[in-house]
């Protein structure tokens, strides 16, 4: 086993909505709001069950996310369990060209961690540093496994939900860091070869397929919510 694989990382669940033709967005990367209110409610339940929420810069900016947990009952339940009211928010970017006016920086109800690299321009570092913990790696891209291990070691993150987007999910799959997928299939089709799937835009195959088993599913509001768990050796 390599030294990298010895790092203890959080359990990672990806949570996505997908059209019936396998797209997570349209070709213009419009915000991902095509599922029912019941699915939105599930998003908050899943957030509440995790220590941290992770998203890529593309998703946070496209979807103008705060990544907060707005439901008071879920916040209270977490506090009763001895947890902070909301999970940590974690956003990842190699280039670090964040818009300091993004909603994530003005939301103050839960701590924010930015994972990025020394490529982040100095003026952006200065603008966002008061609003987050800035973890900058001296490398062209964020070493994902190492960064997740730091979240576990330094912030006590044992369970993390990744809310997208496709590029980020692909990099988690590449490093075999995905343990679960929660996928809502919505009764809509978008078409478009330039519209991303779960693993982003059409690209190279993964070095090998990642297998999952379906552990649970529910059907409501015309949508199918699937829960997959990673199958690491072929049954
Ligand atoms: N249907 C759904 O459930 C769902 C979920 C999420 C997003 N979406 C949709 O997906 C679209 C956004 O797609 P996207 O591919 O742009 O999303 P993304 O993966 O969030 O954003 C891509 C950007 O995030 C950063 N990033 C991703 N993976 C990284 C890694 N391993 N290390 C460092 N930085 C990383 C990079 O930022 P830099 O360029 O700054 O380096 C990259 O350019 C939006 O339309 C959104 O609505 C849909």
């Amino acid at each position: 086993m390599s030294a990298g694989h010895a790092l203890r990382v959080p359990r990672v669940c990806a949570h996505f909505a997908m059209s019936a033709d396998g797209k997570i967005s349209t070709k213009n990367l419009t915000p991902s709001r095509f599922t029912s209110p019941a699915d939105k409610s599930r998003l908050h339940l899943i957030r509440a069950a995790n220590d941290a929420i992770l998203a890529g810069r593309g998703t946070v900016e496209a979807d103008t996310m705060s990544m907060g947990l707005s439901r008071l009952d879920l916040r209270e339940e977490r506090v009763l369990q001895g947890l902070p009211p909301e999970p940590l928010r974690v956003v990842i970017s190699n280039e670090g060209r964040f818009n300091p006016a993004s909603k994530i920086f003005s939301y103050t109800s839960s701590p924010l961690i930015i994972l990025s690299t020394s490529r982040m321009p100095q003026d952006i570092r200065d603008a966002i540093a008061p609003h987050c913990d800035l973890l900058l790696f001296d490398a062209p891209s964020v070493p994902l496994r190492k960064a997740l291990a730091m979240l576990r070691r330094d912030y006590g993150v044992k369970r993390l939900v990744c809310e997208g987007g496709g590029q980020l999910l692909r990099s988690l799959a590449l490093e075999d860091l995905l343990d679960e997928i929660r996928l809502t299939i919505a009764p809509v089709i978008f078409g478009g070869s330039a519209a991303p799937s779960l693993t982003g835009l059409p690209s190279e195959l993964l070095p090998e397929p990642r297998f999952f088993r379906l552990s649970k599913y529910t059907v409501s509001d015309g949508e199918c919510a699937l829960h997959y768990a990673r199958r690491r050796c072929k049954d």
Side-chain angles (χ1 to χ4, degrees), residues 21-101:
D21 61 340
K23 309 293 182 187
I24 63 161
S25 185
T26 60
K27 82 175 171 68
N28 298 323
L29 301 184
T30 46
S32 49
R33 295 184 189 115
F34 55 89
T35 56
S36 67
D39 188 55
K40 300 286 179 317
S41 175
R42 183 163 37 241
L43 173 105
H44 283 271
L45 286 173
I46 295 172
R47 282 187 180 174
N50 280 275
D51 301 314
I53 307 164
L54 170 69
R57 185 193 55 79
T59 293
V60 165
E61 293 188 353
D63 292 3
T64 54
M65 290 166 86
S66 69
M67 300 170 74
L69 185 62
S70 53
R71 269 180 55 182
L72 187 61
D73 58 331
L74 295 176
R75 296 164 58 96
E76 286 174 353
E77 227 171 87
R78 283 177 56 94
V79 172
L80 284 175
Q81 290 166 18
L83 298 169
E86 301 195 20
L88 272 178
R89 298 170 300 143
V90 184
V91 183
I92 188 164
S93 159
N94 288 324
E95 287 195 40
R97 295 188 175 276
F98 284 93
N99 176 358

Side-chain angles (χ1 to χ4, degrees), residues 17-21 34-35 184-189 222-224:
M18 191 174 82
S19 68
D21 61 340
F34 55 89
T35 56
T184 300
I185 300 183
V188 57
I189 57 175
E223 294 166 343
C224 188

Side-chain angles (χ1 to χ4, degrees), residues 19-203:
S19 68
D21 61 340
K23 309 293 182 187
I24 63 161
S25 185
T26 60
K27 82 175 171 68
N28 298 323
L29 301 184
T30 46
S32 49
R33 295 184 189 115
F34 55 89
T35 56
S36 67
D39 188 55
K40 300 286 179 317
S41 175
R42 183 163 37 241
L43 173 105
H44 283 271
L45 286 173
I46 295 172
R47 282 187 180 174
N50 280 275
D51 301 314
I53 307 164
L54 170 69
R57 185 193 55 79
T59 293
V60 165
E61 293 188 353
D63 292 3
T64 54
M65 290 166 86
S66 69
M67 300 170 74
L69 185 62
S70 53
R71 269 180 55 182
L72 187 61
D73 58 331
L74 295 176
R75 296 164 58 96
E76 286 174 353
E77 227 171 87
R78 283 177 56 94
V79 172
L80 284 175
Q81 290 166 18
L83 298 169
E86 301 195 20
L88 272 178
R89 298 170 300 143
V90 184
V91 183
I92 188 164
S93 159
N94 288 324
E95 287 195 40
R97 295 188 175 276
F98 284 93
N99 176 358
S102 287
K103 217 167 152 185
I104 39 158
F105 298 114
S106 52
Y107 187 86
T108 54
S109 301
S110 61
L112 172 67
I113 298 170
I114 299 291
L115 301 174
S116 189
T117 70
S118 44
R119 290 162 69 190
M120 181 183 281
Q122 188 62 48
D123 57 334
I124 296 181
R125 295 184 201 192
D126 295 343
I128 68 176
H131 310 287
C132 61
D133 280 7
L134 204 46
L135 306 186
L136 299 183
F137 295 86
D138 193 11
S141 58
V142 176
L144 202 46
R145 184 175 289 275
K146 186 174 170 188
L148 293 191
M150 283 171 72
L151 293 178
R152 176 152 186 153
R153 189 193 63 203
D154 301 338
Y155 294 89
V157 176
K158 292 194 178 126
R159 296 184 61 91
L160 172 149
V161 59
C162 167
E163 294 187 355
Q167 276 189 49
L168 178 54
L169 185 120
R170 183 184 165 83
S171 47
L172 288 167
L174 267 172
E175 297 214 30
D176 202 5
L177 286 162
L178 273 179
D179 299 293
E180 292 172 44
I181 301 175
R182 307 281 302 254
L183 184 63
T184 300
I185 300 183
V188 57
I189 57 175
F190 294 142
S193 56
S197 77
L198 266 191
T199 47
L201 291 173
S203 178

